[in-house]
Amino acid sequence: EVELVESGGGLVQPGGSLRLSCAASGFTSTPYAMTWVRQAPGKGLEWVSAISASGGSTYYADSVKGRFTISRDSSKSTLYLQMNSLRAEDTAVYYCAKNSGGNTLAWFQPWGQGTLVTVAS
Amino acid sequence: DIQMTQSPSSVSASVGDRVTITCRASQGIGNWLAWYQQKPGKAPRLLIYAASSLQSGVPSRFSGSTSGTEFTLTISSLQPEDFGTYYCQQVNSYPVTFGHGTRVEVK
């Protein structure tokens, strides 16, 4: 069974950093692009970042560009999101998702269960 | 950015009713549209991709259609387990954008 498990969320002060991880199992993640999507409490879904199957291409929402970095370690079937200079408005549940193919522009299935990031003093 | 205008924001219907949710793109996106269902406290689940293709394992009462830049998700006969929030998503261009969601309540 294909499964994605996020970890690394928690409480962090404004201006702080956090690294999220997403471990994939049940499939070989290498041929697939991967994505991070977030959802602020009580709000809708917001696309955050995507990485190509090779890891050679990355894409970011304007709201996180220059602060967040997406990466992947195919040998560990793990996706990462390094988040720096965190702001209160970054507070959200962060989901990783598998793209339907090698394209970063694609639908997402499955999704992980999400990890909560809270930015507050 | 491509804006996805989703309506209605909420709907309350009875078991067996036909429910229709609409999403309008601010510009042409071809068939690069997906629909997701999200239940409280859970991750979204892909229902429809490429505007009208049913994801494996999704009941056939769900269907998608398109007319120009308007996309429609239809639940032909609402079931108790269909409660939740439904989102459309365009993947035609960056940034990927979602509609604001439609909350479906089963009376």
Side-chain angles (χ1 to χ4, degrees):
Chain A
E1 181 186 354
V2 175
E3 188 176 23
L4 300 171
V5 178
E6 300 97 335
S7 60
L11 175 64
V12 61
Q13 292 187 336
S17 297
L18 214 53
R19 188 177 83 156
L20 306 183
S21 299
C22 171
S25 62
F27 70 101
T28 302
S29 65
T30 301
Y32 298 99
M34 300 287 291
T35 293
W36 288 98
V37 175
R38 68 184 181 184
Q39 186 169 36
K43 301 298 184 181
L45 301 170
E46 180 188 13
W47 175 83
V48 173
S49 181
I51 188 167
S52 64
S54 67
S57 297
T58 58
Y59 305 87
Y60 298 93
D62 285 346
S63 58
V64 307
K65 198 172 295 182
R67 301 188 298 123
F68 290 11
T69 302
I70 190 171
S71 62
R72 66 192 301 166
D73 184 337
S74 296
S75 68
K76 297 181 180 179
S77 293
T78 301
L79 175 72
Y80 302 101
L81 186 67
Q82 177 67 44
M83 304 185 296
N84 299 330
S85 303
L86 283 162
R87 307 166 179 167
E89 54 265 35
D90 296 318
T91 294
V93 173
Y94 285 73
Y95 296 101
C96 66
K98 168 183 161 290
N99 289 38
S100 62
N103 197 336
T104 50
L105 279 172
W107 11 89
F108 313 143
Q109 183 68 22
W111 299 53
Q113 86 288 353
T115 187
L116 176 63
V117 172
T118 303
V119 184
S121 53
Chain B
D1 298 2
I2 297 176
Q3 308 303 316
M4 303 302 294
T5 303
Q6 191 172 336
S7 62
S9 57
S10 66
V11 58
S12 180
S14 299
V15 172
D17 283 354
R18 184 181 185 90
V19 172
T20 299
I21 299 168
T22 298
C23 207
R24 180 174 285 107
S26 60
Q27 63 190 76
I29 61 170
N31 285 337
W32 295 103
L33 183 114
W35 290 98
Y36 297 86
Q37 176 196 62
Q38 185 179 33
K39 296 193 174 182
K42 300 294 186 181
R45 168 198 180 198
L46 179 65
L47 300 175
I48 301 286
Y49 63 94
S52 60
S53 295
L54 191 68
Q55 172 69 5
S56 175
V58 174
S60 59
R61 62 181 178 274
F62 292 92
S63 65
S65 63
T66 180
S67 178
T69 59
E70 185 168 291
F71 299 84
T72 301
L73 173 70
T74 300
I75 309 173
S76 60
S77 178
L78 191 68
Q79 298 301 302
E81 61 267 30
D82 296 338
F83 72 93
T85 303
Y86 292 77
Y87 295 93
C88 62
Q89 173 207 34
Q90 70 80 20
V91 294
N92 179 75
S93 62
Y94 298 108
V96 170
T97 48
F98 293 88
H100 288 121
T102 295
R103 181 171 296 181
V104 174
E105 177 194 54
V106 181
K107 292 178 185 175

